[in-house]
């Protein structure tokens, strides 16, 4: 499920024209993808996955430098030149011309796009955004967590002042509106938060918020995760 929201078209303001924006849930680098490949129960060690991926990248580099196009289920790559040539006898000059590689969707990406489901959400704050929530204590589904679980948040502008009790990571009970501030914070950066859910929290459905006072702002700003958190 991919969340999306509508944003006013900056080129057609005032004409009730909107564009859809997919919400970035998380970013994975090569190391994280390698770990996922090795963790699927197929008993392939990470070093072997990394070795194969490295060789794959080397082959891609070698053939592209020879002018060979790449066609894979993931992506298609082919060389392309930009810049104007002055007559048919002109030659490539890197001061006037550039070599680029055009990349297009492969059959796998096209199929994933066709099969993926989307759902509409309220536009998130452009300042504070929570992209993903993960339980580090034990794998769970449907955002259901137990008291005492260690959670990991990734997003944008998540840093807050721990000394200010109005700032922090909060769980707000949707029914009673009772708030719990996450007091045990393990790691806190602009793009990453790790904390423990209070042991005495009541069961129920909660809204997950980060509240902070960014530089040059005079009032607390809120960032809320798009999906409810269930404490079981």
């Amino acid at each position: 499920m991919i969340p999306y929201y509508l944003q006013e078209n900056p080129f057609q303001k005032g004409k009730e024209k909107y564009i859809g924006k997919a919400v970035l849930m998380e970013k994975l680098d090569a190391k994280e993808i390698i770990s996922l490949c090795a963790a699927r129960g197929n008993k392939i060690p990470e070093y072997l996955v990394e070795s194969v991926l490295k060789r794959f990248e080397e082959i891609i580099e070698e053939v592209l430098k020879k002018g060979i196009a790449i066609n894979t289920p993931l992506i298609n790559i082919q060389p392309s030149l930009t810049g104007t040539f002055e007559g048919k006898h002109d030659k490539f000059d890197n001061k006037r011309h550039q070599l680029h590689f055009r990349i297009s969707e492969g059959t796998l990406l096209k199929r994933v796009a066709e099969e993926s489901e989307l759902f509409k959400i309220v536009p998130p704050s452009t300042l504070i955004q929570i992209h993903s929530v993960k339980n580090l204590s034990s794998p769970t589904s449907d955002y259901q967590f137990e008291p005492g679980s260690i959670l990991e948040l990734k997003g944008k502008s998540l840093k807050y002042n721990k000394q200010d009790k109005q700032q922090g990571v909060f769980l707000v009970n949707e029914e009673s509106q009772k708030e719990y501030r996450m007091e045990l914070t393990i790691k806190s950066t602009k793009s990453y938060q790790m904390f423990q859910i209070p042991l005495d929290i009541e069961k129920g459905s909660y809204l997950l918020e980060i509240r902070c006072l960014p530089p040059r702002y005079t009032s607390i700003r809120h960032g809320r995760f798009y999906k409810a958190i269930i404490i079981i």
Side-chain angles (χ1 to χ4, degrees):
M1 297 286 284
I2 301 176
Y4 75 96
Y5 61 93
L6 298 185
Q7 176 179 294
E8 186 176 10
N9 191 331
F11 301 106
Q12 296 185 0
K13 288 186 176 180
K15 295 184 179 181
E16 293 297 318
K17 300 292 185 180
Y18 289 79
I19 56 176
K21 303 281 287 187
V23 176
L24 177 65
M25 299 302 298
E26 190 173 355
K27 291 182 180 179
L28 296 179
D29 58 22
K31 184 176 181 180
E32 290 170 318
I33 293 174
I34 289 170
S35 296
L36 289 174
C37 291
R40 278 201 162 189
N42 51 20
K43 299 182 180 179
I44 302 178
E46 285 193 19
Y47 77 87
L48 185 56
V49 178
E50 184 175 8
S51 177
V52 173
L53 179 60
K54 181 64 177 177
R55 184 55 183 156
F56 181 81
E57 292 174 347
E58 290 172 351
I59 293 297
I60 295 295
E61 180 179 353
E62 290 173 10
V63 299
L64 286 178
K65 287 181 177 179
K66 295 177 182 179
I68 300 174
I70 302 294
N71 290 314
T72 73
L74 190 62
I75 56 174
N76 303 315
I77 311 173
Q78 66 179 49
S80 174
L81 298 180
T82 58
T84 302
F85 290 83
E86 303 296 334
K88 64 180 181 179
H89 298 296
D90 195 5
K91 294 182 178 181
F92 182 89
D93 180 353
N94 57 18
K95 293 181 180 179
R96 297 180 292 122
H97 313 117
Q98 294 79 40
L99 170 65
H100 301 278
F101 291 100
R102 289 208 315 259
I103 300 176
S104 61
E105 296 175 325
T107 55
L108 186 149
L109 287 186
K110 291 179 180 178
R111 177 174 58 80
V112 170
E114 291 175 355
E115 296 177 354
S116 297
E117 296 183 23
L118 292 93
F119 65 98
K120 188 177 178 181
I121 63 171
V122 176
S125 165
T126 57
L127 182 63
I128 307 169
Q129 297 180 15
I130 303 174
H131 295 155
S132 66
V133 180
K134 182 179 179 180
N135 189 353
L136 299 181
S137 300
S138 61
T140 58
S141 59
D142 300 326
Y143 299 104
Q144 296 185 7
F145 309 116
E146 297 179 348
S149 296
I150 303 298
L151 298 193
E152 168 190 86
L153 305 187
K154 293 182 180 180
K156 172 185 175 183
S157 302
L158 306 180
K159 186 71 172 178
Y160 61 88
N161 183 353
K162 295 181 182 179
Q163 307 306 316
D164 184 352
K165 296 300 182 181
Q166 292 185 326
Q167 300 184 50
V169 181
F170 291 82
L171 284 174
V172 183
N173 189 292
E174 286 194 294
E175 184 176 349
S176 68
Q177 295 301 302
K178 182 177 181 180
E179 296 184 352
Y180 293 85
R181 184 175 187 266
M182 306 300 104
E183 300 295 344
L184 181 53
T185 302
I186 302 168
K187 185 175 181 180
S188 176
T189 70
K190 291 181 179 179
S191 60
Y192 186 90
Q193 295 285 334
M194 186 190 301
F195 59 88
Q196 183 182 41
I197 295 177
L199 293 170
D200 61 349
I201 193 170
E202 299 174 357
K203 294 181 180 180
S205 178
Y206 288 81
L207 300 175
L208 175 61
E209 292 185 351
I210 289 189
R211 305 171 187 174
C212 63
L213 184 62
R216 299 184 297 277
Y217 282 81
T218 58
S219 60
I220 299 292
R221 300 292 171 174
H222 293 214
R224 176 179 292 178
F225 191 51
Y226 73 94
K227 193 174 182 65
I229 300 298
I230 308 299
I231 303 298
I232 56 176

